[in-house]
Amino acid sequence: MKRSPLHISHTTIWVSAVTLGLLSSVPQLASHKFNVAEAAVNAGITAAFAVLMWYFNIYMLSRKKDTRRIQSISYTKLLSSLSFGLVVMFGLAWVQQLILSHINFGPTMLMVEVRGILINLVFYMFLNLLQQNYENQHVSMELDRIKSDNLAAQYELLKQQINPHFLFNSLNTLKAMVETGDKEAVDFILKLSNFYRFTLESRKLDLIHVHEEMEIMNAYLFLQKARFEEGLKFTSTLTERTLKTLIPPFTLQLLIENCIKHNVVSLSRPLYITIYEDGEYIIVENVLQVKKGDVSSTGVGLKNIGLRYSHLLDKNIEITNDDKNFKVKLPLIYEHHNH
């Protein structure tokens, strides 16, 4: 999350500083030996100190914060602010002594330093509270945005999963199988029902195991192979270690669907799709044989997957296209990372 600098209007700073300067002279107004020069110098020094500490505390609190800290107040910054304030107030008290040489420096110095500490503490605590409130609001807005994006991605995913064209093609394939007495018609019906059962069961989950995702994808591939027969060639070399990792549901199925949707799939030009692992990635790769006159893709499916990896897991997918092969690299998600 990008950190914005703390902002206080210059008008607020100067008006409050002048007000504090005037208030610091109120006790002298009640004194029997009121001296205009002393009151003016005292007010000026207090106002000058207030202005300096306003800007110094704003600078301190606007500096990059250590995200590992769990406390709301940075005591290091507080001590730095108090130390700086003591030095500044000592200097201003010395200036006051030069202007009003008849005043006893010792008691004056003590009074000025105590006043400076109190002013500094009030400024620091006010700015710290203001900053915490701003950051809490910013985090809340960011969480709402992420939830909104995630819901939009899930909605788009659900629409793709129950794609009417896929259902229409599947039913046409089933009709042809039944009419020709194909022995795999029963298996086709079971796979079709399993696929939609997986859809209903998994849509509420953020992550599932890769071996569960492979079951969904295998059911989908069975349905597609019944339609394309040997025109669709699929290979998976995922190891047992990778199958135990996690993945957003229907990620692999959507990638396979995109391969079939945008490429020629026929007995004369089989479409080769491979899923394998490389380091800390699962890679889905297909040979490019783009359909002629294919309408340009909106990329909704890939955006959907990218959104879920980015917002849910703070990870990014990688897409490469060298005009011969199309690859999508999915970062491995381990169970302990998710927790």
Side-chain angles (χ1 to χ4, degrees):
M1 181 180 67
K2 186 177 179 181
R3 185 179 176 82
S4 300
L6 190 63
H7 178 73
I8 303 292
S9 71
H10 297 295
T11 302
T12 300
I13 291 173
W14 284 92
V15 169
S16 64
V18 171
T19 301
L20 281 173
L22 294 175
L23 289 175
S24 68
S25 299
V26 170
Q28 291 180 319
L29 291 174
S31 174
H32 295 293
K33 297 180 180 180
F34 175 70
N35 187 304
V36 176
E38 289 183 14
V41 170
N42 186 52
I45 286 177
T46 302
F49 176 79
V51 170
L52 287 172
M53 295 318 300
W54 263 123
Y55 286 111
F56 181 79
N57 283 317
I58 290 173
Y59 166 74
M60 287 290 295
L61 290 171
S62 296
R63 292 170 63 188
K64 187 175 181 181
K65 188 176 181 180
D66 187 353
T67 55
R68 294 172 295 180
R69 298 187 70 89
I70 58 175
Q71 58 192 28
S72 58
I73 297 178
S74 172
Y75 293 107
T76 302
K77 292 181 178 180
L78 176 58
L79 290 174
S80 299
S81 178
L82 290 175
S83 299
F84 180 77
L86 288 173
V87 173
V88 170
M89 210 46 160
F90 180 83
L92 291 175
W94 181 75
V95 172
Q96 183 182 29
Q97 180 65 24
L98 290 179
I99 298 173
L100 305 172
S101 57
H102 63 280
I103 297 178
N104 191 344
F105 186 71
T108 301
M109 179 64 199
L110 179 62
M111 180 187 69
V112 168
E113 290 290 4
V114 170
R115 182 196 308 161
I117 291 173
L118 292 175
I119 292 174
N120 202 2
L121 278 174
V122 170
F123 283 0
Y124 184 89
M125 298 306 295
F126 170 76
L127 290 171
N128 187 77
L129 181 63
L130 189 68
Q131 184 186 49
Q132 290 294 321
N133 182 60
Y134 167 78
E135 290 184 350
N136 289 338
Q137 289 182 349
H138 195 66
V139 168
S140 179
M141 290 172 61
E142 185 71 9
L143 288 174
D144 288 341
R145 185 184 68 81
I146 291 173
K147 287 179 181 178
S148 176
D149 288 342
N150 195 35
L151 286 173
Q154 290 181 7
Y155 175 67
E156 189 59 42
L157 174 64
L158 182 60
K159 288 197 299 182
Q160 291 191 38
Q161 289 167 4
I162 55 176
N163 190 326
H165 295 291
F166 167 69
L167 181 59
F168 177 77
N169 291 332
S170 297
L171 292 177
N172 275 343
T173 302
L174 177 60
K175 176 177 176 291
M177 293 174 72
V178 171
E179 288 177 346
T180 58
D182 194 319
K183 294 180 180 180
E184 292 189 342
V186 175
D187 286 338
F188 186 91
I189 294 172
L190 291 175
K191 294 292 184 181
L192 184 62
S193 64
N194 285 339
F195 177 75
Y196 280 104
R197 177 173 60 82
F198 290 143
T199 299
L200 295 174
E201 290 177 353
S202 301
R203 64 175 177 166
K204 296 180 181 179
L205 302 175
D206 292 325
L207 295 168
I208 60 175
H209 286 96
V210 173
H211 67 81
E212 295 174 301
E213 174 70 8
M214 290 297 290
E215 291 180 19
I216 298 173
M217 191 193 64
N218 287 332
Y220 178 78
L221 278 172
F222 181 89
L223 301 176
Q224 295 294 353
K225 283 185 177 181
R227 176 185 173 192
F228 296 108
E229 299 179 344
E230 294 302 312
L232 185 59
K233 302 289 186 179
F234 173 76
T235 306
S236 172
T237 59
L238 297 181
T239 63
E240 190 65 27
R241 179 186 73 97
T242 301
L243 292 173
K244 291 179 181 179
T245 59
L246 302 171
I247 192 170
F250 286 89
T251 298
L252 297 179
Q253 184 269 325
L254 279 175
L255 292 176
I256 298 298
E257 182 180 354
N258 276 348
C259 293
I260 296 172
K261 179 180 178 183
H262 298 292
N263 290 278
V264 173
V265 185
S266 65
L267 294 175
S268 60
R269 293 185 65 190
L271 176 63
Y272 289 88
I273 303 174
T274 307
I275 295 182
Y276 58 97
E277 57 192 84
D278 182 12
E280 293 298 302
Y281 290 90
I282 295 176
I283 300 178
V284 180
E285 179 179 354
N286 68 277
V287 177
L288 277 175
Q289 41 195 51
V290 181
K291 296 177 181 177
K292 290 183 179 180
D294 181 36
V295 292
S296 58
S297 172
T298 59
V300 171
L302 291 175
K303 287 179 183 177
N304 182 310
I305 295 170
L307 272 175
R308 287 190 289 165
Y309 270 88
S310 175
H311 292 158
L312 184 62
L313 307 162
D314 197 24
K315 294 177 179 287
N316 295 316
I317 66 173
E318 297 180 18
I319 302 170
T320 57
N321 183 347
D322 59 7
D323 294 329
K324 292 183 178 179
N325 296 285
F326 187 84
K327 295 181 184 179
V328 178
K329 299 177 68 174
L330 307 170
L332 289 179
I333 305 165
Y334 295 97
E335 199 151 8
H336 63 276
H337 285 173
N338 182 46
H339 293 320

PDB file of all heavy atoms in Angstrom, residues 11-37:
ATOM      1  N   THR A  11      -2.371  27.167   6.955  1.00  0.00           N
ATOM      2  CA  THR A  11      -3.216  28.089   7.732  1.00  0.00           C
ATOM      3  C   THR A  11      -3.434  27.563   9.139  1.00  0.00           C
ATOM      4  O   THR A  11      -3.326  28.303  10.128  1.00  0.00           O
ATOM      5  CB  THR A  11      -4.576  28.275   7.026  1.00  0.00           C
ATOM      6  OG1 THR A  11      -4.368  28.761   5.703  1.00  0.00           O
ATOM      7  CG2 THR A  11      -5.449  29.249   7.808  1.00  0.00           C
ATOM      8  N   THR A  12      -3.723  26.262   9.240  1.00  0.00           N
ATOM      9  CA  THR A  12      -3.934  25.649  10.554  1.00  0.00           C
ATOM     10  C   THR A  12      -2.677  25.759  11.411  1.00  0.00           C
ATOM     11  O   THR A  12      -2.739  26.070  12.609  1.00  0.00           O
ATOM     12  CB  THR A  12      -4.319  24.165  10.389  1.00  0.00           C
ATOM     13  OG1 THR A  12      -5.514  24.065   9.629  1.00  0.00           O
ATOM     14  CG2 THR A  12      -4.523  23.501  11.743  1.00  0.00           C
ATOM     15  N   ILE A  13      -1.527  25.499  10.793  1.00  0.00           N
ATOM     16  CA  ILE A  13      -0.257  25.550  11.529  1.00  0.00           C
ATOM     17  C   ILE A  13       0.000  26.951  12.069  1.00  0.00           C
ATOM     18  O   ILE A  13       0.299  27.129  13.263  1.00  0.00           O
ATOM     19  CB  ILE A  13       0.895  25.092  10.611  1.00  0.00           C
ATOM     20  CG1 ILE A  13       0.763  23.592  10.307  1.00  0.00           C
ATOM     21  CG2 ILE A  13       2.247  25.395  11.259  1.00  0.00           C
ATOM     22  CD1 ILE A  13       1.757  23.077   9.286  1.00  0.00           C
ATOM     23  N   TRP A  14      -0.113  27.958  11.220  1.00  0.00           N
ATOM     24  CA  TRP A  14       0.239  29.317  11.631  1.00  0.00           C
ATOM     25  C   TRP A  14      -0.788  29.917  12.594  1.00  0.00           C
ATOM     26  O   TRP A  14      -0.417  30.599  13.558  1.00  0.00           O
ATOM     27  CB  TRP A  14       0.412  30.209  10.402  1.00  0.00           C
ATOM     28  CG  TRP A  14       1.715  29.944   9.713  1.00  0.00           C
ATOM     29  CD1 TRP A  14       1.947  29.076   8.694  1.00  0.00           C
ATOM     30  CD2 TRP A  14       2.983  30.517  10.035  1.00  0.00           C
ATOM     31  NE1 TRP A  14       3.262  29.064   8.335  1.00  0.00           N
ATOM     32  CE2 TRP A  14       3.944  29.954   9.143  1.00  0.00           C
ATOM     33  CE3 TRP A  14       3.413  31.467  10.968  1.00  0.00           C
ATOM     34  CZ2 TRP A  14       5.284  30.289   9.176  1.00  0.00           C
ATOM     35  CZ3 TRP A  14       4.759  31.804  10.995  1.00  0.00           C
ATOM     36  CH2 TRP A  14       5.675  31.231  10.115  1.00  0.00           C
ATOM     37  N   VAL A  15      -2.063  29.659  12.351  1.00  0.00           N
ATOM     38  CA  VAL A  15      -3.095  30.191  13.259  1.00  0.00           C
ATOM     39  C   VAL A  15      -2.951  29.580  14.645  1.00  0.00           C
ATOM     40  O   VAL A  15      -3.034  30.288  15.669  1.00  0.00           O
ATOM     41  CB  VAL A  15      -4.507  29.928  12.687  1.00  0.00           C
ATOM     42  CG1 VAL A  15      -5.583  30.220  13.734  1.00  0.00           C
ATOM     43  CG2 VAL A  15      -4.748  30.780  11.448  1.00  0.00           C
ATOM     44  N   SER A  16      -2.731  28.246  14.697  1.00  0.00           N
ATOM     45  CA  SER A  16      -2.589  27.595  16.001  1.00  0.00           C
ATOM     46  C   SER A  16      -1.332  28.080  16.723  1.00  0.00           C
ATOM     47  O   SER A  16      -1.319  28.244  17.946  1.00  0.00           O
ATOM     48  CB  SER A  16      -2.543  26.077  15.831  1.00  0.00           C
ATOM     49  OG  SER A  16      -1.398  25.680  15.094  1.00  0.00           O
ATOM     50  N   ALA A  17      -0.245  28.314  15.956  1.00  0.00           N
ATOM     51  CA  ALA A  17       1.004  28.786  16.560  1.00  0.00           C
ATOM     52  C   ALA A  17       0.839  30.181  17.154  1.00  0.00           C
ATOM     53  O   ALA A  17       1.277  30.454  18.290  1.00  0.00           O
ATOM     54  CB  ALA A  17       2.110  28.779  15.516  1.00  0.00           C
ATOM     55  N   VAL A  18       0.199  31.074  16.405  1.00  0.00           N
ATOM     56  CA  VAL A  18      -0.040  32.434  16.902  1.00  0.00           C
ATOM     57  C   VAL A  18      -0.959  32.408  18.118  1.00  0.00           C
ATOM     58  O   VAL A  18      -0.746  33.136  19.106  1.00  0.00           O
ATOM     59  CB  VAL A  18      -0.638  33.311  15.786  1.00  0.00           C
ATOM     60  CG1 VAL A  18      -1.090  34.667  16.346  1.00  0.00           C
ATOM     61  CG2 VAL A  18       0.382  33.524  14.669  1.00  0.00           C
ATOM     62  N   THR A  19      -1.971  31.544  18.083  1.00  0.00           N
ATOM     63  CA  THR A  19      -2.899  31.431  19.214  1.00  0.00           C
ATOM     64  C   THR A  19      -2.171  30.965  20.470  1.00  0.00           C
ATOM     65  O   THR A  19      -2.393  31.495  21.565  1.00  0.00           O
ATOM     66  CB  THR A  19      -4.029  30.431  18.867  1.00  0.00           C
ATOM     67  OG1 THR A  19      -4.710  30.885  17.700  1.00  0.00           O
ATOM     68  CG2 THR A  19      -5.019  30.318  20.015  1.00  0.00           C
ATOM     69  N   LEU A  20      -1.298  29.972  20.317  1.00  0.00           N
ATOM     70  CA  LEU A  20      -0.514  29.500  21.462  1.00  0.00           C
ATOM     71  C   LEU A  20       0.393  30.600  21.993  1.00  0.00           C
ATOM     72  O   LEU A  20       0.587  30.744  23.213  1.00  0.00           O
ATOM     73  CB  LEU A  20       0.320  28.284  21.063  1.00  0.00           C
ATOM     74  CG  LEU A  20      -0.400  26.949  20.998  1.00  0.00           C
ATOM     75  CD1 LEU A  20       0.519  25.876  20.420  1.00  0.00           C
ATOM     76  CD2 LEU A  20      -0.869  26.527  22.388  1.00  0.00           C
ATOM     77  N   GLY A  21       0.982  31.386  21.072  1.00  0.00           N
ATOM     78  CA  GLY A  21       1.831  32.502  21.499  1.00  0.00           C
ATOM     79  C   GLY A  21       1.060  33.508  22.326  1.00  0.00           C
ATOM     80  O   GLY A  21       1.543  33.968  23.372  1.00  0.00           O
ATOM     81  N   LEU A  22      -0.141  33.849  21.894  1.00  0.00           N
ATOM     82  CA  LEU A  22      -0.972  34.796  22.637  1.00  0.00           C
ATOM     83  C   LEU A  22      -1.395  34.227  23.986  1.00  0.00           C
ATOM     84  O   LEU A  22      -1.397  34.942  25.002  1.00  0.00           O
ATOM     85  CB  LEU A  22      -2.204  35.171  21.808  1.00  0.00           C
ATOM     86  CG  LEU A  22      -1.928  35.951  20.511  1.00  0.00           C
ATOM     87  CD1 LEU A  22      -3.212  36.146  19.720  1.00  0.00           C
ATOM     88  CD2 LEU A  22      -1.275  37.305  20.826  1.00  0.00           C
ATOM     89  N   LEU A  23      -1.749  32.934  23.991  1.00  0.00           N
ATOM     90  CA  LEU A  23      -2.169  32.314  25.252  1.00  0.00           C
ATOM     91  C   LEU A  23      -1.029  32.261  26.258  1.00  0.00           C
ATOM     92  O   LEU A  23      -1.269  32.347  27.479  1.00  0.00           O
ATOM     93  CB  LEU A  23      -2.687  30.887  24.982  1.00  0.00           C
ATOM     94  CG  LEU A  23      -4.028  30.781  24.254  1.00  0.00           C
ATOM     95  CD1 LEU A  23      -4.350  29.321  23.942  1.00  0.00           C
ATOM     96  CD2 LEU A  23      -5.149  31.389  25.099  1.00  0.00           C
ATOM     97  N   SER A  24       0.204  32.101  25.746  1.00  0.00           N
ATOM     98  CA  SER A  24       1.344  32.044  26.670  1.00  0.00           C
ATOM     99  C   SER A  24       1.563  33.383  27.389  1.00  0.00           C
ATOM    100  O   SER A  24       2.238  33.430  28.426  1.00  0.00           O
ATOM    101  CB  SER A  24       2.611  31.654  25.906  1.00  0.00           C
ATOM    102  OG  SER A  24       3.004  32.698  25.023  1.00  0.00           O
ATOM    103  N   SER A  25       0.995  34.463  26.852  1.00  0.00           N
ATOM    104  CA  SER A  25       1.157  35.787  27.465  1.00  0.00           C
ATOM    105  C   SER A  25       0.015  36.145  28.405  1.00  0.00           C
ATOM    106  O   SER A  25       0.062  37.198  29.069  1.00  0.00           O
ATOM    107  CB  SER A  25       1.267  36.864  26.377  1.00  0.00           C
ATOM    108  OG  SER A  25       2.398  36.627  25.568  1.00  0.00           O
ATOM    109  N   VAL A  26      -0.996  35.283  28.466  1.00  0.00           N
ATOM    110  CA  VAL A  26      -2.145  35.568  29.338  1.00  0.00           C
ATOM    111  C   VAL A  26      -1.735  35.718  30.804  1.00  0.00           C
ATOM    112  O   VAL A  26      -2.202  36.654  31.491  1.00  0.00           O
ATOM    113  CB  VAL A  26      -3.224  34.469  29.174  1.00  0.00           C
ATOM    114  CG1 VAL A  26      -4.305  34.613  30.256  1.00  0.00           C
ATOM    115  CG2 VAL A  26      -3.846  34.560  27.802  1.00  0.00           C
ATOM    116  N   PRO A  27      -0.858  34.834  31.372  1.00  0.00           N
ATOM    117  CA  PRO A  27      -0.467  35.022  32.781  1.00  0.00           C
ATOM    118  C   PRO A  27       0.178  36.377  33.036  1.00  0.00           C
ATOM    119  O   PRO A  27       0.015  36.963  34.115  1.00  0.00           O
ATOM    120  CB  PRO A  27       0.534  33.878  33.019  1.00  0.00           C
ATOM    121  CG  PRO A  27       0.147  32.830  32.035  1.00  0.00           C
ATOM    122  CD  PRO A  27      -0.297  33.596  30.829  1.00  0.00           C
ATOM    123  N   GLN A  28       0.925  36.894  32.063  1.00  0.00           N
ATOM    124  CA  GLN A  28       1.565  38.189  32.247  1.00  0.00           C
ATOM    125  C   GLN A  28       0.558  39.329  32.251  1.00  0.00           C
ATOM    126  O   GLN A  28       0.767  40.364  32.885  1.00  0.00           O
ATOM    127  CB  GLN A  28       2.603  38.422  31.150  1.00  0.00           C
ATOM    128  CG  GLN A  28       3.816  37.497  31.287  1.00  0.00           C
ATOM    129  CD  GLN A  28       4.839  37.745  30.192  1.00  0.00           C
ATOM    130  OE1 GLN A  28       4.463  37.937  29.040  1.00  0.00           O
ATOM    131  NE2 GLN A  28       6.115  37.726  30.548  1.00  0.00           N
ATOM    132  N   LEU A  29      -0.552  39.142  31.508  1.00  0.00           N
ATOM    133  CA  LEU A  29      -1.602  40.170  31.501  1.00  0.00           C
ATOM    134  C   LEU A  29      -2.214  40.341  32.889  1.00  0.00           C
ATOM    135  O   LEU A  29      -2.635  41.427  33.275  1.00  0.00           O
ATOM    136  CB  LEU A  29      -2.688  39.803  30.485  1.00  0.00           C
ATOM    137  CG  LEU A  29      -2.291  39.872  29.009  1.00  0.00           C
ATOM    138  CD1 LEU A  29      -3.422  39.338  28.135  1.00  0.00           C
ATOM    139  CD2 LEU A  29      -1.968  41.316  28.614  1.00  0.00           C
ATOM    140  N   ALA A  30      -2.276  39.220  33.645  1.00  0.00           N
ATOM    141  CA  ALA A  30      -2.860  39.280  34.992  1.00  0.00           C
ATOM    142  C   ALA A  30      -1.857  39.766  36.032  1.00  0.00           C
ATOM    143  O   ALA A  30      -2.207  39.977  37.195  1.00  0.00           O
ATOM    144  CB  ALA A  30      -3.392  37.901  35.383  1.00  0.00           C
ATOM    145  N   SER A  31      -0.599  39.894  35.616  1.00  0.00           N
ATOM    146  CA  SER A  31       0.435  40.322  36.563  1.00  0.00           C
ATOM    147  C   SER A  31       0.351  41.833  36.813  1.00  0.00           C
ATOM    148  O   SER A  31      -0.028  42.610  35.931  1.00  0.00           O
ATOM    149  CB  SER A  31       1.816  39.969  36.016  1.00  0.00           C
ATOM    150  OG  SER A  31       2.815  40.489  36.859  1.00  0.00           O
ATOM    151  N   HIS A  32       0.717  42.234  38.044  1.00  0.00           N
ATOM    152  CA  HIS A  32       0.702  43.669  38.389  1.00  0.00           C
ATOM    153  C   HIS A  32       1.810  44.414  37.653  1.00  0.00           C
ATOM    154  O   HIS A  32       1.700  45.607  37.388  1.00  0.00           O
ATOM    155  CB  HIS A  32       0.863  43.843  39.898  1.00  0.00           C
ATOM    156  CG  HIS A  32      -0.288  43.281  40.683  1.00  0.00           C
ATOM    157  ND1 HIS A  32      -1.558  43.807  40.636  1.00  0.00           N
ATOM    158  CD2 HIS A  32      -0.357  42.214  41.528  1.00  0.00           C
ATOM    159  CE1 HIS A  32      -2.377  43.118  41.421  1.00  0.00           C
ATOM    160  NE2 HIS A  32      -1.655  42.133  41.974  1.00  0.00           N
ATOM    161  N   LYS A  33       2.901  43.678  37.321  1.00  0.00           N
ATOM    162  CA  LYS A  33       4.028  44.306  36.625  1.00  0.00           C
ATOM    163  C   LYS A  33       4.036  43.872  35.157  1.00  0.00           C
ATOM    164  O   LYS A  33       4.969  43.234  34.691  1.00  0.00           O
ATOM    165  CB  LYS A  33       5.336  43.912  37.294  1.00  0.00           C
ATOM    166  CG  LYS A  33       5.453  44.381  38.727  1.00  0.00           C
ATOM    167  CD  LYS A  33       6.779  43.959  39.339  1.00  0.00           C
ATOM    168  CE  LYS A  33       6.894  44.426  40.789  1.00  0.00           C
ATOM    169  NZ  LYS A  33       8.190  44.016  41.394  1.00  0.00           N
ATOM    170  N   PHE A  34       2.969  44.199  34.460  1.00  0.00           N
ATOM    171  CA  PHE A  34       2.856  43.801  33.050  1.00  0.00           C
ATOM    172  C   PHE A  34       3.818  44.614  32.190  1.00  0.00           C
ATOM    173  O   PHE A  34       3.870  45.840  32.274  1.00  0.00           O
ATOM    174  CB  PHE A  34       1.426  44.010  32.556  1.00  0.00           C
ATOM    175  CG  PHE A  34       1.257  43.742  31.092  1.00  0.00           C
ATOM    176  CD1 PHE A  34       1.337  42.453  30.598  1.00  0.00           C
ATOM    177  CD2 PHE A  34       1.054  44.798  30.191  1.00  0.00           C
ATOM    178  CE1 PHE A  34       1.195  42.209  29.245  1.00  0.00           C
ATOM    179  CE2 PHE A  34       0.903  44.556  28.839  1.00  0.00           C
ATOM    180  CZ  PHE A  34       0.978  43.246  28.360  1.00  0.00           C
ATOM    181  N   ASN A  35       4.587  43.890  31.380  1.00  0.00           N
ATOM    182  CA  ASN A  35       5.552  44.527  30.487  1.00  0.00           C
ATOM    183  C   ASN A  35       5.235  44.089  29.055  1.00  0.00           C
ATOM    184  O   ASN A  35       5.286  42.909  28.732  1.00  0.00           O
ATOM    185  CB  ASN A  35       6.980  44.103  30.867  1.00  0.00           C
ATOM    186  CG  ASN A  35       8.029  44.860  30.079  1.00  0.00           C
ATOM    187  OD1 ASN A  35       8.021  44.851  28.856  1.00  0.00           O
ATOM    188  ND2 ASN A  35       8.944  45.509  30.793  1.00  0.00           N
ATOM    189  N   VAL A  36       4.903  45.063  28.219  1.00  0.00           N
ATOM    190  CA  VAL A  36       4.499  44.766  26.844  1.00  0.00           C
ATOM    191  C   VAL A  36       5.624  44.073  26.078  1.00  0.00           C
ATOM    192  O   VAL A  36       5.409  43.120  25.337  1.00  0.00           O
ATOM    193  CB  VAL A  36       4.077  46.052  26.104  1.00  0.00           C
ATOM    194  CG1 VAL A  36       3.749  45.742  24.641  1.00  0.00           C
ATOM    195  CG2 VAL A  36       2.892  46.702  26.786  1.00  0.00           C
ATOM    196  N   ALA A  37       6.844  44.542  26.267  1.00  0.00           N
ATOM    197  CA  ALA A  37       7.985  43.960  25.542  1.00  0.00           C
ATOM    198  C   ALA A  37       8.186  42.492  25.922  1.00  0.00           C
ATOM    199  O   ALA A  37       8.407  41.628  25.065  1.00  0.00           O
ATOM    200  CB  ALA A  37       9.244  44.767  25.843  1.00  0.00           C
TER     201      ALA A  37
END
